[in-house]
Amino acid sequence: MSKGKLAKLYTITTAAVLATSLIMPVAPETAHADRGVVDLWKAIKPLTTIASAMNTGAHPDDEHSSMLAYLSLGKGVDTSSVIANRGEGGQNEIGSELGNALGIIRTRELQEASKITNIHLENLSEKIDDPIFDFGFSKSPDETLQKWGEDVAYEKLIRRIRTLRPDVVIPAFLNEPSTHGHHRAINVITVRAFKDAADPNVFPQHAKEGLAPWQVKKLYLPAKEKDYSVKVPVGDYDEIYGASYVQLGEESRFMHKSQGMGRHYDEGPSFNYYKLDQSIVETKDKEADFFTGIAYSFDDLAKEVARQSGGEKVAGELKKLQKDAAEVIAAYPSFASVAKEAHEMLADVEKATAVVEASSLPTDTKTDLRHRLGVKKSQLNKASAEALSLVTKVKPETTELVAGQTTKVTVTAYNGGQAKVGKINLALNVPKGWQAKPQSPTSFSSLGYNQTVKTTFDVTVPSDAALFQPYAAFAITADVSYSFAGSTAISHVTPADAIAVLPSFSMVLSPNATVLNTQKPEEPIPVKVTVKNYNPGAAKTTITLDVPKGWSVEPQAAPLAFEAKGETKSVAFTVKADASVQPNKYTVTAVASGNGKESRHGAQVIRYPHIGTTYFVQPATLAIQAFDLKVPEGLKVGYVSSGFDNIDQYLSQLGVNVTNLSAKDIESGDLDQYDTIVLGIRAYGFRPELIPSNARLLKYVENGGNLVVQYHKPEDKWKPELAPYPIKIGAPLIQWRVTDEKSKVTVLAPDHALFHSPNKITEEDWDNWIQDRSAYNPSEWGKEYTELISNGDEGEKEFTGTYLTAKYGKGTYTYSSLVWYREIPSLVPGAIRLFVNMISPQQ
């Protein structure tokens, strides 16, 4: 069969695979041979070029996915994505996780997205609560860099550039006022880094670490069709992948499910446009691609090296690698032939590296060649495993470990190809202080078709092992080395899911945050501690609560016995505050103790089909905010959740009778039984029964009900006429929000009941808000509404439509863009008082 016919056959098959993958979640850690010839092509295409590119962004999902797919999958360019933070300050469209838990989800989504486009991923944020944190929307790059620590962020970016040594750098966004401050900040430091990464006087400590300066060749900025230097044909259709690069890019974007990313695109021409901003090579107004004027192939590199003193012999070796790469490509799609050619190229890379080291070339040139040959060696290792259909795995007995535990981890190598490999060695990599002892031989003379070799290791976790960090590299990995056709390759293997060291007894307090009403300090706080045993077998512990001085807790201790790992038990405590408790923040901590050990942590399991399983280990605490609060007796509220907030849970803790309304309740239930009905943020976009039932909601108001609607985006199917009097949401959305949580709030209707009943609202109630004031404010509204407040960011026109209320018939309709979903879980006293007033029917 001809290659053309093969390509057509692969196209049909792959198109079916892609069509499915755009709908179904992509499982983590796909096995090597799952996509056969497609994965083989993905592995060998990078051998044809020595070019490299870097895309920088602020948050997970900022990457230019189509362009990255074109460069990496289409051209074989060594492509990297450098993302600043973990997206902790964003919203969540698949669950109620916010803050660090959301950051963990978005990081895993980004990792899976990067696998699809075959790019190298780096984050500037390196740990939980890193200074480079997503603190929410910002309108200013200066504010962003001030909060991140400009030197901290800049040093990390320069370090990534000097480590990865990209020829071309492309920030994902422009530095313009209509853009998120985080996006602008990354643009600012990326543009500045073009020169500074090459300056040895900028962060000179890098040189002491062996990290040499690096001069990027070109820097491009996003542009439009009317003014560009390069247009990237992302709409080109690749027969082998069975999709265009736009479609491949969107396949990766579908991984960002928590942000609602991913779209379906039809086939056809389309382009991304970029404008050259800085360059050290000669350029033209219009360029064929990013790499015009830059060495792209081994032959190009050989010409540059040959012009330098001592470079002729090295140039000869580079030309040989050009020939090798061409032979690898020509051998496709024969797996055995590709494997033979790839291993011959691998041997030549080793030889070229030795020749470079022995040459008299300038130090900078040798450093560059050493890096590029190292990248090529890594690519050839991957190409070898694909071509030989060598499937390597590291399989732990359990992914959930505790300090001091010994477990078993098995490393396997399976040969699914027709070529026999030899000198197989299975090595397990564990952190410093851990022990890994093989229980059987780790070396094997040969491995033929359909054969498997394996070694099981006894792995001992030290008693002082650190608890799991979700942003750290895998704790346990494996390296499988083997020989074929005269050279040795290494397959680096990671487990399918993270192997985590967890607390021996993981504790979760319910509630984990609550209000102590200082008007009723004698009221007890019920606390349930749910304990999960992560020890490998039966275990005993005693649970106590560490409470503030002067507070009491009953019982004082609760012993627990577990028969097996994974067993969960709960104990109930009653906490009482000191009678003279003052308004303040307090913390209650759960403690599990026994056998001379103590645990004060819990492990939140984060599990979704598209990202697998990971964990957020954090202190097992209950946050208590004490302040004065009045809640009407018997207040009955119907809550319509979009799934993006948990305000209903906090209202229940306050003594409000809350019912979560189902679709049936909304469509045909008795709405008049509720004093108030609350719609969660963006509910019209995610509760399909709401729009058809909107007339019922308005009738409920007309009959005397109190309807509270939290903010929406236009894409949430919001239409002005959904409100009893029209409300139009401002656009572009980026300009209709208040990001300064400390911004001054002016009450426009000080006599309105919402500021007096049942709680008297004062200026202090606008203090200590977090992250934002409001989002997606209305730009137009009916004259029937009372404008309750005005508020805006410094130097900007204040919004007066943030908090609107109106009488409609016998009832009240209130629309609010204040970010209640962030403030109330953070126990902001003023926000809670205001919300209680808003859901309390006013006379």
Side-chain angles (χ1 to χ4, degrees):
M1 185 180 291
S2 70
K3 183 176 178 182
K5 290 182 179 179
L6 275 170
K8 186 174 181 180
L9 174 61
Y10 302 151
T11 299
I12 294 171
T13 305
T14 309
V17 171
L18 283 171
T20 303
S21 66
L22 291 177
I23 300 171
M24 300 296 291
V26 177
E29 201 62 32
T30 306
H32 274 304
D34 277 1
R35 290 174 66 182
V37 290
V38 178
D39 271 351
L40 179 60
W41 181 255
K42 184 189 291 188
I44 66 174
K45 183 64 178 176
L47 303 178
T48 63
T49 175
I50 51 89
S52 56
M54 175 186 288
N55 186 209
T56 62
H59 318 93
D61 74 32
D62 280 353
E63 66 272 21
H64 284 200
S65 305
S66 298
M67 180 268 289
L68 293 174
Y70 173 80
L71 289 180
S72 177
L73 301 179
K75 304 294 286 184
V77 171
D78 178 30
T79 310
S80 58
S81 174
V82 177
I83 301 298
N85 59 46
R86 306 285 175 160
E88 304 95 335
Q91 300 174 30
N92 185 356
E93 295 197 5
I94 59 173
S96 59
E97 296 94 345
L98 292 174
N100 283 319
L102 175 59
I104 293 169
I105 292 172
R106 295 188 68 180
T107 296
R108 285 290 300 117
E109 290 176 334
L110 178 62
Q111 291 168 345
E112 293 301 317
S114 299
K115 289 181 186 178
I116 292 172
T117 48
N118 201 33
I119 61 171
H120 177 83
L121 172 65
E122 292 276 349
N123 286 89
L124 302 186
S125 169
E126 297 172 340
K127 60 185 183 298
I128 294 290
D129 294 328
D130 193 279
I132 305 175
F133 192 82
D134 181 1
F135 57 84
F137 190 85
S138 171
K139 296 177 181 177
S140 164
D142 295 335
E143 177 200 34
T144 299
L145 293 173
Q146 186 272 327
K147 288 190 174 182
W148 287 352
E150 186 166 350
D151 284 348
V152 171
Y154 198 43
E155 186 276 329
K156 290 184 177 182
L157 177 61
I158 295 288
R159 180 180 292 274
R160 266 60 173 190
I161 292 173
R162 289 174 173 172
T163 301
L164 299 174
R165 301 170 73 86
D167 296 315
V168 173
V169 172
I170 310 154
F173 296 93
L174 295 171
N175 178 21
E176 53 187 19
S178 62
T179 303
H180 194 320
H182 297 181
H183 299 162
R184 297 176 67 185
I186 289 301
N187 171 286
V188 168
I189 62 175
T190 301
V191 170
R192 190 193 311 162
F194 180 82
K195 292 181 179 178
D196 282 354
D199 186 347
N201 296 313
V202 176
F203 303 118
Q205 67 268 31
H206 290 177
K208 296 177 182 178
E209 301 170 18
L211 188 59
W214 173 246
Q215 177 61 67
V216 177
K217 308 296 190 303
K218 293 182 179 181
L219 184 136
Y220 290 86
L221 300 178
K224 297 181 179 179
E225 184 176 3
K226 63 182 180 181
D227 183 23
Y228 69 90
S229 305
V230 171
K231 65 176 183 179
V232 180
V234 294
D236 282 4
Y237 192 88
D238 192 307
E239 290 184 308
I240 292 179
Y241 296 116
S244 70
Y245 300 110
V246 169
Q247 291 170 328
L248 291 167
E250 289 303 304
E251 184 181 353
S252 79
R253 296 197 73 73
F254 271 98
M255 287 294 99
H256 297 293
K257 295 184 186 299
S258 68
Q259 304 304 295
M261 295 291 173
R263 295 173 58 187
H264 295 279
Y265 284 93
D266 289 332
E267 297 73 14
S270 63
F271 300 89
N272 281 11
Y273 297 92
Y274 299 90
K275 181 78 172 178
L276 182 66
D277 184 71
Q278 299 182 65
S279 176
I280 64 164
V281 300
E282 189 175 341
T283 62
K284 300 177 181 179
D285 288 342
K286 290 288 187 291
E287 299 177 311
D289 59 34
F290 292 130
F291 304 99
T292 301
I294 299 175
Y296 186 79
S297 65
F298 278 110
D299 277 349
D300 296 335
L301 193 58
K303 291 176 184 177
E304 290 185 356
V305 171
R307 291 194 291 266
Q308 301 184 45
S309 176
E312 289 187 9
K313 188 174 181 181
V314 173
E317 295 300 322
L318 296 176
K319 289 178 181 178
K320 190 183 298 183
L321 292 176
Q322 179 75 39
K323 182 174 178 290
D324 287 340
E327 289 172 348
V328 172
I329 297 298
Y332 181 82
S334 169
F335 281 76
S337 298
V338 168
K340 176 178 177 295
E341 299 296 343
H343 272 263
E344 289 180 0
M345 186 175 180
L346 185 58
D348 287 342
V349 166
E350 296 281 9
K351 181 181 177 184
T353 302
V355 172
V356 168
E357 297 297 345
S359 74
S360 59
L361 284 166
T363 300
D364 288 350
T365 301
K366 292 175 75 169
T367 300
D368 182 47
L369 291 171
R370 193 181 294 121
H371 172 80
R372 294 184 193 273
L373 291 171
V375 169
K376 209 54 55 183
K377 183 177 180 179
S378 176
Q379 293 170 346
L380 282 161
N381 280 331
K382 184 175 181 180
S384 166
E386 293 290 354
L388 291 167
S389 295
L390 189 71
V391 182
T392 53
K393 296 180 179 180
V394 53
K395 298 190 289 187
E397 183 180 45
T398 175
T399 59
E400 299 173 339
L401 305 173
V402 298
Q405 179 179 350
T406 296
T407 188
K408 296 184 183 300
V409 179
T410 301
V411 181
T412 66
Y414 166 81
N415 188 349
Q418 300 301 315
K420 182 181 290 188
V421 299
K423 298 181 180 178
I424 304 97
N425 185 71
L426 310 180
L428 190 69
N429 309 310
V430 297
K432 184 178 181 180
W434 294 38
Q435 293 183 355
K437 297 180 179 179
Q439 299 306 299
S440 58
T442 59
S443 298
F444 306 87
S445 59
S446 64
L447 184 64
Y449 170 69
N450 215 23
Q451 291 182 340
T452 300
V453 292
K454 66 179 180 179
T455 300
T456 297
F457 295 79
D458 282 342
V459 174
T460 301
V461 184
S463 59
D464 60 350
L467 293 173
F468 178 70
Q469 297 293 326
Y471 301 153
F474 279 103
I476 296 177
T477 63
D479 286 310
V480 178
S481 63
Y482 55 93
S483 296
F484 178 74
S487 62
T488 299
I490 299 176
S491 176
H492 184 68
V493 201
T494 57
D497 275 321
I499 297 175
V501 177
L502 302 175
S504 297
F505 301 97
S506 173
M507 297 170 289
V508 177
L509 282 72
S510 178
N512 64 359
T514 194
V515 168
L516 171 62
N517 192 343
T518 51
Q519 291 191 351
K520 303 176 181 179
E522 73 285 353
E523 286 194 354
I525 302 173
V527 180
K528 182 173 78 170
V529 181
T530 301
V531 187
K532 185 172 184 178
N533 175 33
Y534 279 112
N535 291 282
K540 294 181 179 180
T541 190
T542 298
I543 307 300
T544 57
L545 293 184
D546 187 352
V547 299
K549 186 178 180 179
W551 293 31
S552 64
V553 58
E554 290 291 339
Q556 292 186 350
L560 289 178
F562 299 89
E563 295 182 0
K565 178 180 179 177
E567 186 178 357
T568 299
K569 291 187 176 183
S570 297
V571 291
F573 294 91
T574 300
V575 174
K576 288 186 177 180
D578 186 292
S580 60
V581 64
Q582 298 297 306
N584 208 337
K585 294 180 179 179
Y586 301 92
T587 301
V588 171
T589 303
V591 182
S593 55
N595 298 324
K597 296 182 179 180
E598 181 180 282
S599 173
R600 291 172 172 255
H601 286 82
Q604 178 182 350
V605 181
I606 298 176
R607 181 181 292 118
Y608 288 95
H610 65 303
I611 60 172
T613 301
T614 186
Y615 307 87
F616 178 26
V617 178
Q618 56 189 318
T621 58
L622 162 62
I624 299 174
Q625 179 69 59
F627 63 95
D628 289 349
L629 179 68
K630 295 179 181 178
V631 180
E633 293 289 336
L635 181 59
K636 190 173 184 182
V637 171
Y639 202 92
V640 183
S641 175
S642 58
F644 302 156
D645 69 68
N646 52 7
I647 289 177
D648 53 317
Q649 299 174 26
Y650 289 91
L651 295 180
S652 295
Q653 291 179 29
L654 300 176
V656 179
N657 180 0
V658 179
T659 300
N660 279 283
L661 301 185
S662 66
K664 185 177 180 181
D665 293 330
I666 295 165
E667 292 167 344
S668 58
D670 176 18
L671 302 181
D672 291 337
Q673 64 180 297
Y674 301 105
D675 297 308
T676 299
I677 294 176
V678 179
L679 304 191
I681 59 170
R682 309 182 64 192
Y684 280 105
F686 294 87
R687 294 293 296 266
E689 71 275 12
L690 277 179
I691 290 179
S693 302
N694 195 61
R696 294 193 80 235
L697 292 173
L698 296 184
K699 190 66 176 177
Y700 158 80
V701 179
E702 194 173 11
N703 290 341
N706 183 33
L707 181 62
V708 172
V709 180
Q710 297 180 68
Y711 77 69
H712 281 71
K713 297 181 180 181
E715 58 262 36
D716 297 327
K717 303 176 184 175
W718 177 266
K719 296 180 180 179
E721 56 269 24
L722 289 173
Y725 314 111
I727 294 177
K728 181 180 178 181
I729 299 170
L733 296 178
I734 197 170
Q735 298 177 5
W736 291 85
R737 57 194 304 165
V738 180
T739 62
D740 182 0
E741 64 274 22
K742 298 178 182 178
S743 55
K744 179 177 173 53
V745 175
T746 301
V747 175
L748 300 177
D751 295 331
H752 198 282
L754 282 174
F755 297 120
H756 294 273
S757 177
N759 297 283
K760 173 68 174 176
I761 303 302
T762 68
E763 286 188 12
E764 292 181 355
D765 287 303
W766 299 103
D767 294 341
N768 301 313
W769 286 48
I770 66 158
Q771 192 160 318
D772 297 302
R773 283 290 192 201
S774 61
Y776 320 125
N777 284 294
S779 59
E780 298 177 25
W781 52 90
K783 64 180 185 307
E784 294 85 356
Y785 291 102
T786 297
E787 301 164 4
L788 294 170
I789 66 171
S790 67
N791 176 236
D793 285 321
E794 185 177 357
E796 297 183 2
K797 182 179 179 180
E798 294 195 347
F799 301 117
T800 58
T802 298
Y803 202 3
L804 301 171
T805 190
K807 285 293 183 182
Y808 182 67
K810 299 177 182 179
T812 302
Y813 180 96
T814 301
Y815 185 95
S816 173
S817 299
L818 291 166
V819 287
W820 307 107
Y821 81 105
R822 292 196 186 278
E823 310 307 322
I824 290 178
S826 296
L827 305 180
V828 176
I832 294 173
R833 286 195 186 97
L834 279 160
F835 203 93
V836 168
N837 284 12
M838 186 168 59
I839 63 174
S840 301
Q842 306 294 329
Q843 299 300 320

